[in-house]
Amino acid sequence: QEQPWEMIMDKKHFRLWRRPIQGSHLYQYRVFGSYTDVTPRQFFNVQLDTEYRKKWDSLVIKLDVIERDVATGSEVIHWVTHFPYPMYSRDYVYVRRYNVDKENNLMVLVSRAVEHPSVPEDPEYVRVRTYESQMVIRPHKTFDENGFDYLLTYSDNPQTVFPRYCVSWMVSSGMPDFLEKLHSAALKAKKMELEVRDYLAKGPDTAPEPCGPAQLEYA
C-alpha cells in the first residue's frame, strides 16, 4: 500500500511533495509547477539540450550523450554532478526517452538509470544506480505560446551514509534550485534567441546519429 504524499514546499511557481519509498530510507518526490512567460517548446528543448545545460548548470562536471537510437529517440546519458561538501561528486548513467503527443497536447520525458559498457565506474565519483524521473508538460494553449503546467515525479538513491532527513533536505533544496535555473535558462534562450536544438522537429537536421545496439531497449 502506497504512502500518502506530504507537501513540503509551496512556492509561487511550484509545489513539492514527498512520500516514503517502502522498504528503504528514501523518498519519492513530486513537483507540480506552472510558468506563463516561456513556451512549452522552449522549456522542453532547454531541458533536453545537453550542450546548453553545460553552460547554465554550474553543478555539471560532465554531461555527454553516450548513445542515440534514431528509431525510438532514446539517448543514453553520462552525467557527473557536484554534491554538497564534504560528499564526493555523483555520476549517473541513464537512458532517457521523450514523446510529443500533439493529439492530446502533451510532452513527456522519462529517464531511468541503466548500465552501459562504455561507462565503467570511476573511483573518483560515486555511481548512482537507482534513479527515475518522469516529467509531463501540458501547454495552456499550444507548444509555441507562453504558458504551461508540468508534473515531475522523481526518485534516486544518492548512496550516502547520511540519515534520511539530511538526504531529504538536500533534495528539497536542490530540486527547486534546479527548476528555477532551468526556467531562467529557457527565458535566456528565448530573449537572446540562442540556438537550442529543437527536439520537436523531425527531419535530417535534427535526427540523432545512428548507433550500435546497447541499453536503449530499457526505455
Side-chain angles (χ1 to χ4, degrees), residues 124-138:
E124 193 175 342
Y125 313 122
V126 175
R127 173 66 52 89
V128 176
R129 297 192 172 277
T130 303
Y131 163 68
E132 286 189 1
S133 172
Q134 302 91 30
M135 180 179 278
V136 179
I137 299 171
R138 183 185 290 278

Side-chain angles (χ1 to χ4, degrees), residues 28-64:
Q28 184 181 34
Y29 297 88
R30 177 163 286 177
V31 182
F32 176 79
S34 186
Y35 291 114
T36 58
D37 53 359
V38 175
T39 71
R41 183 188 295 265
Q42 288 157 343
F43 189 74
F44 191 66
N45 286 337
V46 165
Q47 194 168 179
L48 285 164
D49 192 315
T50 52
E51 291 306 309
Y52 183 38
R53 182 169 175 180
K54 293 174 186 178
K55 298 175 183 176
W56 61 262
D57 188 350
S58 59
L59 295 179
V60 168
I61 300 171
K62 288 183 183 178
L63 187 61
D64 299 309

Side-chain angles (χ1 to χ4, degrees), residues 10-119:
D10 189 352
K11 295 228 171 190
K12 181 180 179 182
H13 294 299
F14 58 82
R15 284 171 284 172
L16 173 63
W17 294 264
R18 71 179 182 188
R19 67 180 178 187
I21 298 175
Q22 284 191 320
S24 79
H25 64 287
L26 303 170
Y27 287 102
Q28 184 181 34
Y29 297 88
R30 177 163 286 177
V31 182
F32 176 79
S34 186
Y35 291 114
T36 58
D37 53 359
V38 175
T39 71
R41 183 188 295 265
Q42 288 157 343
F43 189 74
F44 191 66
N45 286 337
V46 165
Q47 194 168 179
L48 285 164
D49 192 315
T50 52
E51 291 306 309
Y52 183 38
R53 182 169 175 180
K54 293 174 186 178
K55 298 175 183 176
W56 61 262
D57 188 350
S58 59
L59 295 179
V60 168
I61 300 171
K62 288 183 183 178
L63 187 61
D64 299 309
V65 177
I66 304 302
E67 187 173 344
R68 290 189 174 108
D69 181 79
V70 178
T72 64
S74 299
E75 296 178 320
V76 176
I77 309 290
H78 182 215
W79 170 37
V80 185
T81 181
H82 289 290
F83 256 53
Y85 180 83
M87 291 187 288
Y88 285 100
S89 300
R90 261 56 179 172
D91 83 324
Y92 296 71
V93 179
Y94 64 93
V95 62
R96 72 179 185 187
R97 189 170 181 180
Y98 59 90
N99 183 53
V100 178
D101 185 345
K102 295 182 179 179
E103 187 177 332
N104 293 302
N105 210 31
L106 287 175
M107 311 160 96
V108 180
L109 173 62
V110 295
S111 303
R112 73 182 179 93
V114 293
E115 293 185 8
H116 196 283
S118 298
V119 195

Side-chain angles (χ1 to χ4, degrees), residues 27-28 48 60 65 69 92 108 110 144-145 150-151 165 169 183 190 196 198 216:
Y27 287 102
Q28 184 181 34
L48 285 164
V60 168
V65 177
D69 181 79
Y92 296 71
V108 180
V110 295
D144 293 301
E145 294 179 83
Y150 69 87
L151 184 66
Y165 71 87
W169 174 80
H183 174 233
K190 176 185 175 183
V196 176
D198 187 3
L216 296 179

Side-chain angles (χ1 to χ4, degrees), residues 197-198 201-209:
R197 179 181 167 193
D198 187 3
K202 300 291 183 184
D205 293 332
T206 55
E209 300 85 359

